[in-house]
Amino acid sequence: MSREIILYVATSLDGFIAKENDDLQWLEEAEVEGDAGYSDMYQSIDTIIMGKRTYDWVVEHTETFPYPDKKCYVFSTSLSGKNEHVEFVNEDVVTFSKKLREQEGSKIWMVGGADILDAFMKEQLIDELIITITPHLLGSGIPLFKNNNPFQELKLANTTRYGQMVQMHYRVKKG
């Protein structure tokens, strides 16, 4: 049985995950009740995948690395090896992730960014989508989904309101 890959992300109502310059100030200032299901999601995973741009943002905007107890892979063309928190991967993200799915473990969280998500969507590697809609219209920025993804049927597992935000939890229907 293969491990599931989940997407847990917040997006503006008009579908953007960040402004053009990776600005997330709007998200950091959003009114939310509780942790929007983050703790439950985080407990269900043991592995994290992210791109280097996302990793750089995390390192720059957090005092301590937020995922010290998880196996964390960062896809990079410029860095290799490991540090105390992450392993840098120079392989194709899709090929690597398909191999990772077949290893023992819990769920895998695809943190970001947009290019990795796009590759995963094109290859239908996302099994669950937990998307929190924030009360913002950004007008432009980095879209959650890029164009030309294959058709996928989803099954709504749950919706939850967290203050001014609404979270939708979908599972991908497998053929």
Side-chain angles (χ1 to χ4, degrees):
M1 173 128 174
S2 107
R3 297 163 70 186
E4 292 186 339
I5 299 176
I6 64 172
L7 171 67
Y8 175 92
V9 68
T11 180
S12 64
L13 182 59
D14 54 352
F16 296 103
I17 57 174
K19 292 185 178 179
E20 284 92 352
N21 59 356
D22 297 333
D23 177 10
L24 294 176
Q25 189 71 32
W26 58 277
L27 183 58
E28 293 168 353
E29 295 173 353
E31 253 185 71
V32 63
E33 288 178 7
D35 70 356
Y38 178 81
S39 296
D40 290 339
M41 180 283 304
Y42 192 77
Q43 289 175 14
S44 76
I45 65 161
D46 66 1
T47 306
I48 291 174
I49 295 171
M50 72 177 79
K52 178 155 180 324
R53 197 162 126 194
T54 300
Y55 170 75
D56 288 344
W57 189 95
V58 167
V59 169
E60 185 179 319
H61 290 88
T62 58
E63 289 182 29
T64 59
F65 191 71
Y67 321 117
D69 57 334
K70 306 295 180 186
K71 182 68 179 165
C72 190
Y73 297 100
V74 175
F75 290 87
S76 173
T77 56
S78 60
L79 295 176
S80 60
K82 297 179 180 182
N83 67 27
E84 65 180 306
H85 298 295
V86 305
E87 181 176 333
F88 296 99
V89 179
N90 306 114
E91 295 178 44
D92 174 70
V93 66
V94 169
T95 303
F96 181 88
S97 299
K98 284 180 177 179
K99 288 187 282 188
L100 189 61
R101 286 174 71 121
E102 299 310 317
Q103 296 175 5
E104 283 292 315
S106 300
K107 293 179 182 180
I108 301 164
W109 178 21
M110 199 296 304
V111 173
D115 290 337
I116 291 176
L117 176 57
D118 188 54
F120 278 39
M121 294 303 294
K122 301 267 187 289
E123 293 290 326
Q124 299 182 347
L125 290 178
I126 301 291
D127 299 289
E128 288 183 55
L129 299 94
I130 303 170
I131 300 172
T132 303
I133 307 297
T134 72
H136 300 93
L137 295 170
L138 298 184
S140 65
I142 300 170
L144 174 58
F145 299 115
K146 295 185 180 184
N147 292 329
N148 302 315
N149 288 314
F151 175 84
Q152 293 185 69
E153 192 169 351
L154 308 176
K155 179 174 175 48
L156 183 63
N158 195 25
T159 58
T160 308
R161 179 178 175 173
Y162 294 102
Q164 293 298 305
M165 298 186 189
V166 175
Q167 186 175 87
M168 301 171 297
H169 183 169
Y170 289 98
R171 296 188 196 286
V172 176
K173 284 188 176 182
K174 299 295 181 181

